[in-house]
Amino acid sequence: MAVRDGVVILLASFSLVTGSCLPGTYGYRCGYNCHCQANTCNVTDGCRSQTCIKGWSGPTCQKNNKALDKSTSASSTSMAAGNAVDGNTIANNYRSCFHSAYNDGINVAWWRVDLNETTPIHDVTIYFRTDYKVRRNGIQVYIADTAASPTDGVKCYNVTGKGDGSDILDVLNVTCSGKGRYLVLYTTTINNGDAVPILDFCEVQVDVCAPGTFGSVCDNYCHCAGDVCNFVNGVCPSGVCLPGWQHDECDTECTQFSYGQNCSKKCSDRNCKNDNSSCDHATGMCVGGCKTGWNGTDCTQECPGSYGDGCAYQCSARKCRGTSTCDHVTGKCENGCNPGWKIADCTQECTKGVEYGSGCVGNCSARMCDGGTDACPPDTGQCESTCVSGWQGEDCAQVCSLGSFGENCSEECGQCLDTSDCHHVNGTCITGCVNGWTNHTCTQKQDEGPTSNAGIFTSAGVVVAIIVAAAVVVIVVVLVRRRRSQAANKRDDHADMSPEQIDMMNDPACTNDVDTDDYVNPVYVSGHVADKNDPLPTSVGDSDAYLDPVYANAVDSEEYLDPVRAGAVVVVDEKDEAAVDEDDNDTYYNTATAPAITLVSVDKLQERIQELQVPVGGFQAEYQVRPKT
């Protein structure tokens, strides 16, 4: 059992939990009445013995005399039966005590007090006369439920001793356990000096502990759930303690790591905002409140139908899309928000004129409304006007679908190499067209007009390059053959000349006398046509004035120049001259002025070559036949 000092400490914790008690109450849950003056009753530990009111005693004034001032009766009286329940314990004057009659013929004497209700009785205190002791011996104590007969109840104690009463205490405390409405003192004993059985005593007390207390002086506190504990041993009838208490008597606190009914809850399972919060053994109350999403004194209950700090936000106020659970901490909408609302719990509306849509992810300024000044509804962002070309959707925020472009995305893309590269505004095929199609939208077949297709340009360039290369080869072959033929004829001419004539030809001083028409193509770079009076170069190295400007940089000192056909250069070394065979055909010599240089673009080159090759006698038009000699 708990001691008194321990009880005082426990009660202090009770008052802190429950707050200030109403006047006249104290202790755990303010469940105990003060039996002293109200101004002397402490809300924590109650009264002190020196302040107890009449009928109450004990260290905390919880021991109650149930017989005080109750109705009494007796077999006979010499002094009033009520004197034994008036609260006066002075026992040295018989006039203040009860005294039965001592008439002859009396066989039995009894005294009875009505407690007004069935009462669990344990302790009975009898105050005997101190000025006369002989009538103490032989008294029997009964607890009865009815007043039909003094001995109908249960005898709970028998006072025995010497006939003169000298060995019996003046104040006798007896244990008389039982339950009943009446307490009866009964005797048939005739003690020393008396002729009949006589009772005389000054005060009888039936002491009962106040509800919730137990022990010999009622200074222990039990905390039973339901019925009060036995006021003698403190055992709870139901076997169940109030939260925070344990053991049969329910008089011991839970340890510092547990709390609640039968100390079954762990302090560590709470969700206190302050992790260092104390843990009340009864309630587990979190000092400082709960973490977000938790509720209850001990912060172990999830917010019911609400969420957030202090469970302050109602789940029903959210703007969730579809059906969503309500997380007790965040209130998050699982499927997102209805259009026009944002943040996790969908309780914040989109900023007007700035954003729109579910989660407010739409940007009003990014819409492609025709005109650009449309209102921006927070739920849809719908444009009041139409969309600019290349855009679609009620908010004009989506480009045209693949394969379409233009206003209202109503036009169909052409034959693009890659459909995804069709520009959504103008339909331009960014990577070009498939074979057979042309123009920037790839909507025109190649045989319908000029093409700008990069692929077709590339193919045409290759063809032209091949044709040009072939033409150059043909021209070179023709010129080489012609040069060889001319060289052979010149040797024939020189064979008929005398040595003197040959020397004269080689003499620079005689150069003007030599007929140069047979072997010089007198064409100047500047386009001037040479005649017989123009000086001849003395060597090939002095021939800069006679070079065709197209090939001038290719001339070497060992080369012979034939400026025919816009200055084509044919390289002929001495070995080649010796190896030239006589051509049996007529040999042609260019004796006319050189043809004018004609600039021809690459793409027209093949056509020009064909024009020069086709006419019959084309070369004859430029060369004259020299008759053989």
Side-chain angles (χ1 to χ4, degrees), residues 184-412:
V184 178
L185 273 63
Y186 178 89
T187 185
T188 58
T189 302
I190 299 172
N191 290 304
N192 295 348
D194 291 330
V196 293
I198 298 174
L199 292 174
D200 61 353
F201 42 85
C202 297
E203 192 74 20
V204 175
Q205 296 178 347
V206 179
D207 294 317
V208 176
C209 291
T213 63
F214 67 96
S216 60
V217 290
C218 306
D219 59 350
N220 295 321
Y221 293 84
C222 56
H223 306 89
C224 304
D227 293 339
V228 296
C229 63
N230 184 288
F231 73 91
V232 177
N233 56 30
V235 173
C236 294
S238 64
V240 180
C241 302
L242 290 174
W245 302 93
Q246 58 184 334
H247 301 156
D248 293 340
E249 297 83 5
C250 300
D251 61 343
T252 305
E253 286 185 359
C254 298
T255 65
Q256 60 178 335
F257 303 113
S258 61
Y259 70 97
Q261 190 78 49
N262 297 323
C263 302
S264 59
K265 296 182 179 181
K266 295 180 180 179
C267 295
S268 59
D269 291 339
R270 301 174 304 159
N271 295 281
C272 302
K273 183 175 292 186
N274 180 2
D275 291 336
N276 295 323
S277 172
S278 60
C279 184
D280 182 83
H281 70 99
T283 64
M285 182 177 70
C286 289
V287 177
C290 306
K291 291 180 179 178
T292 299
W294 295 93
N295 190 29
T297 302
D298 60 352
C299 302
T300 58
Q301 302 170 23
E302 295 181 358
C303 295
S306 58
Y307 63 96
D309 194 14
C311 302
Y313 305 100
Q314 295 299 313
C315 294
S316 58
R318 300 174 304 157
K319 304 296 181 182
C320 300
R321 176 187 295 168
T323 302
S324 176
T325 59
C326 184
D327 183 84
H328 68 103
V329 177
T330 64
K332 181 179 180 180
C333 293
E334 296 172 335
N335 302 315
C337 304
N338 284 333
W341 297 87
K342 63 181 179 179
I343 69 175
D345 62 351
C346 302
T347 57
Q348 185 174 337
E349 194 170 6
C350 296
T351 303
K352 187 176 182 180
V354 176
E355 55 192 2
Y356 67 94
S358 179
C360 302
V361 296
N363 187 340
C364 292
S365 62
R367 299 176 305 155
M368 302 302 290
C369 304
D370 192 8
T373 59
D374 283 15
C376 185
D379 54 347
T380 64
Q382 183 176 10
C383 294
E384 294 177 344
S385 59
T386 58
C387 304
V388 298
S389 180
W391 297 85
Q392 63 181 344
E394 65 177 353
D395 59 350
C396 300
Q398 298 85 41
V399 297
C400 294
S401 303
L402 287 179
S404 64
F405 69 95
E407 186 173 355
N408 296 324
C409 300
S410 58
E411 299 188 52
E412 190 173 329

